[in-house]
Each structure stands twice: as C-alpha cells, then as structure tokens.
Amino acid sequence: MLTTILVANRGEIARRVFRTCAELGLGKAAVFSDADAGAPHVREADAAVRLPGDAPSDTYLRADLLVEAAKAAGADAVHPGYGFLSENAAFARAVLDAGLTWIGPPPAAIEAMGSKVEAKRIMADAGVPVLAELDPERVTEADLPVLIKASAGGGGRGMRVVRELDELTDAVASAQAEAASAFGDPTVFCERYLETGRHIEVQVLADTHGTVWTVGERECSIQRRHQKVVEESPSPLVDEPMRAALFEAARKAAQAIDYVGAGTVEFLATENGEFFFLEMNTRLQVEHPVTELVTGLDLVAWQIRVAEGAALPPEPPSPNGHAIEVRLYAEDPAADWQPQTGTLHHFAVPGDVRVDSGVEDGSVIGVHYDPMLAKVIAWAPTRAEAARKLAAALAGAEIHGVRTNRDLLVNVLRHPEFLAGNTDTAFFGRHGLDTLAAPLGDERLAAVAAAFADAAANRAGKRLPGGWRNVRSAPQRKRYAVGGREYEVAYTGNRVEGEDITLVHATPERVVLDVSGVRRSFSVGRYPGLVCVGPVSLTPVPRFTEPGSALVAGSLVAPMPGTVLRIAVEPGAAVSAGDPLLWLEAMKMEHRITAPADGVVAELPVSVGQQVEVGAVLAVVKEQQ
C-alpha cells in the first residue's frame, strides 16, 4: 500500500493530484524550480524539494533529480502529471529501478507510443484506421496540404501546416528545431492535413487483470496552434454507431501495447463519421475533468488504485449530462496568441463551476512555462446549459494583472456555430479572431467608471467633494488606454461632459452609473499602473510624457521576455512588409518578429542566444519613402 506520492510536475496538475492524495489519505511531495519557489503547489505539499534553476531542462526534465527528490521526500510512488517527463519511458524505468511505484503505464507501452511513426505502424497492424505517413523529402504538390509533426512530442510543438510546396523545406527545418528544443528529438514526419477535421479522443483505463474500460469520448476540435482550447464530453458529432466504432478502436489500441492505467487514444474524424488514429497519450490528459464530471469517476484515484494492483469493475459507469472545459491562458489572441507575463493581482471565478488552477492572487506569470492559468469546467444536464453556465462564470471572473483569452472563450461559448455543434479544427480561421476576440465589456463606460473610482480614491479621507474647484473653470479630465485605444473622460461633479452619464455612487472598489436612465454597476480593481473594471483592463495615461521615453520610428520591441532563437536578416538588408526578421522563444513557443512595412533594417541590436526583456528594441526598420 502506498503512503506518499511525489508529483514530478508543477502548477495546476500538481495541485490536482494533491487533491486526490488528500482524499485518499496519502502524503503529498512536490518538486519546484527556483521560478516556482513561491507557487501554490509547493505550499500545499507536505514536503517539497528544490530543483536548482529555472529552465525545464535544468529542473522538471531532469529524471535523476526527480528520483532523488522522491527518495529525499520519503515518497514511495511517483505521479508524472502531464507534459515534461510524463511520457518518457527512461524516466519510468528510472523510477521503477529506484524501487518506487510508477503511477502510469509500463515503460514498454510508453516506448511503443513515444514515436508517432512507430505508433502508427503498431495501430495499423492492430486494425486501427490510420492516415498514411508521408516522407517530407517525397511530398509532392498532389499531397498538399500536409501537416508536419514531431515524432516524439505533443502539445502543438514541432507542428506546421504547409500549403505551398516551396514552403516545405523551411517549415520542416523550423519544426525540427522546435522538436529538438522541446523533446530532445528532431525527428518529424508528414501526413495529409484535414482542413476541417474533428479532434475526437477516447479515455481508456486498464488494470493489470485484463480489464480495459473505454470511458466516453471527448471532442477537442477548437484549437490554436494545434493546442486545445475548448474540450467537451460527449462530442456533438458522435452518434451511437460511431461511438461504438471509436470505443472498439481505442480498446484495440490499448490491448495492442498491453496498456495499464489511464490513457487517451486520439483520432481525427470527418463530418461523415470516418476517423483515423492520431496518437496515444500514455498519461493523464489536461482535459480529463470533463470525463470525470460526466462519469463521476476520479481518474487520478483510479490511476493510484491500479498502480497498487486493484482491479477495475467489469463495466465503467454510464455517462450523464454534458461537460465543457476551457483553458484560460495568459495570452493575447488578437496579437497572434502572444503569451503574456506579469503579476496576477487577483483571480476569482464565480458560479457553480470547477476551477483547476495553478495560480492565485499575487502569482507571477513568467516566461519559463506554459501560459495556462487555469481550466474552468462546467457540467449541466444538456450541452446548451453547460455552455451558458460556463460563459457566465468566465464573463464574471475577476482576472486582474495579465491579459488573457477570457473574452475569446466567452465569445466562442456563445457563438451560434458552437452551440450548433459545428466545432471543427478550422473554427478560429472560419469565424475570425477579430470577431471571436472582441472585448466583452464596454470600454468607454469602463473608462468612465475608472475615472470616478480614481476620484473616490483621491478624496478618501478628505473633506473636499470630488472635482472641487475654487472657481469653476474646466472639467476634470482623465485618460485611459485599452489595447492601443485611448479614452478621455471629462466630468464635472457627478456628470460626464457631453454624455448622458451620471454618477450615482462611487467608492474606489465599486461605481454605479446612470447611463441614459439605466443604472449599471461596475466592480473596480486598482493597482499601480492598472485599473480593472469588470472584464476591461485599463492603463492610466499620464498627462505629461517623460522626455526621452519615445522610441525611434520603426522600432520593433520584444512583446515578452524571451531568448533570440534565430535571425533572418542583417543590418542594411531590404525587407518587405511581413518578412521574418527574427524569432523569439518564450513559454515553450516560437514567436516570429516581422517587418511592419517595406523598408531597410537600420538597426539590429540583438544576437542569437541573447535574453531580452519585454519592451527591448529588437530591430529598427526604416520605411521606404
């Protein structure tokens, strides 16, 4: 019988496993990098072991340090979570060789599915439908479009879609570089790309006594950069005959490699019900909560029981209702999904929803790890009710300090095509980020509320009324910036100049406005250099600009802290609008910096390998006159 489990991971998944450990009476052991020293998962553990350094390659990807940490913390089992070394057969063997229990499938099963090329061969032999593998060197015009995939990885890294043959060589090189960086293996392959495919996956759970459960399917078709954003169970595409075929294929896949524990068999499906094997994730999935909510299972608890030798009941529980999960990321969808960094001043999600999060008030979102803040999951008897409940919870969430994809998620959940179940992998491209990422809140009213909240804070403890003047001359004026737009608010007393807006009540934390006869209430969070009004984050604009703070015209600055990965140009080179200048690596992703207009590279003050901070000048492009 196990007594203490070390989670060889961080953040949200570490906390998720700890929750089950506490319910089962098991001890909780954590590991942490220097960047995570103050993270919630460290505080919630009974014992925590430091992994010196910040980079994953120095910390969470060091199998030797993780095994040593388990021993030092007195753990007798290791749960790998997802990501990092969760699908690394050598790590699983190292855990077992150290006399510890591995809470996952046998190393041989991990190894069999670790190479997507080999996995497809095994599945084809087992009678599971697969897409034909294409050699990147032999792809022809007739094969396009194709998807380049890293053989050893997942999570969208090392993946590229190629629609033009002359783009293939560069795309393969880029995918190989990213795969090598993320997984230590540059091997990539190609397969036919289905533009409007549906991503359907089946949760499997197997014990050591020969029982294999297929525990419902999930649909994860709405993706950005080949990474899932919205997940649900059951799939609106799948009918009973298709479900039976999917479950049979997933069962064959698990049995072909003598699988044990929780795993997921992923398929790409067409609208007419065809499906093809994509990969098998030999670990717990990020989206496992939707399966838990519709089945009542605790998949982590069953992972632990199976590792202890327990047998599954003959049949899994029947599903009930519908569950939808969204991944809340610190990123800007409208700016090519750029990850965001900074301090998360306040984080709260209202309503009857499940929140699996690795952050809390005061958490610092850095550049070393994935920018996911939380998973928010809603269950309801019907799909429409689950979507409505989840959208309402997200819309009312207080997320202060970093830009997120929250508005996008709410707009997706309320979109008629989503509600109709039309959720293929081309969803974002078809409906447009300009529409889907539109702000939820009224930015103008948010600026007015911010101005009155600021005035209330200024007069707190003073006896003068807001906007007091010895002799009335001009109204008070305040300016706020939101996403590149500026709003000026001019008010006298409790009235906004030139608008049918009157202040009813104001404190530094709450403002009530009468807007054309309708009262509207706004919650306000105020922080240095930031005001958050409902879902709108505003930056106060100073009345006077500091001398010397302006950038040279044509300057391209780092949108986030990161490392210069590659440089495509030299000073003096002529460039066209959209040409790549260099690439930054941050938060496990590549970010391309492009020329904003036709011109000449006047300055290039960075070099490959250089660490840059947000706002640092990367290049200066002088436009052609």
Side-chain angles (χ1 to χ4, degrees), residues 6 31 49-52 62-75 78 91 94-95 98 100:
L6 177 121
V31 287
V49 179
R50 176 183 174 234
L51 306 175
R62 286 283 301 273
D64 56 338
L65 296 184
L66 294 170
V67 171
E68 289 174 12
K71 292 179 177 179
V78 173
F91 178 47
V95 170
L100 305 170

Side-chain angles (χ1 to χ4, degrees), residues 560-573:
M560 69 208 76
T563 303
V564 178
L565 196 61
R566 302 194 303 280
I567 295 176
V569 296
E570 295 181 352

Side-chain angles (χ1 to χ4, degrees), residues 25 73 81 110 118 177 223 241 388 392 425 486:
I110 299 174
E118 178 65 10
Q223 303 178 4
R388 183 169 60 203
T425 53
E486 284 195 10

Side-chain angles (χ1 to χ4, degrees), residues 139-146 162-166 168 192-193:
V139 170
T140 67
E141 197 80 39
D143 296 319
L144 299 176
V146 296
V162 177
R163 295 185 173 84
E164 302 291 337
L165 203 57
D166 60 2
L168 183 64
R192 180 164 59 100
Y193 180 60

Side-chain angles (χ1 to χ4, degrees), residues 21 25 49 60 280 323 327 359 489 552 624:
C21 287
V49 179
Y60 300 107
M280 184 173 185
R327 302 189 191 186
V359 298
V489 180
V552 174
Q624 293 177 344

Side-chain angles (χ1 to χ4, degrees), residues 517-531:
V518 179
R519 287 197 175 187
R520 302 192 182 278
S521 179
F522 301 85
S523 63
V524 182
R526 302 173 65 257
Y527 312 96
L530 178 69
V531 183

Side-chain angles (χ1 to χ4, degrees), residues 214-216 291-297 315-321:
T214 49
V215 197
T291 297
E292 293 185 324
L293 289 183
V294 297
T295 62
L297 292 169
E315 296 295 330
S318 299
N320 175 41

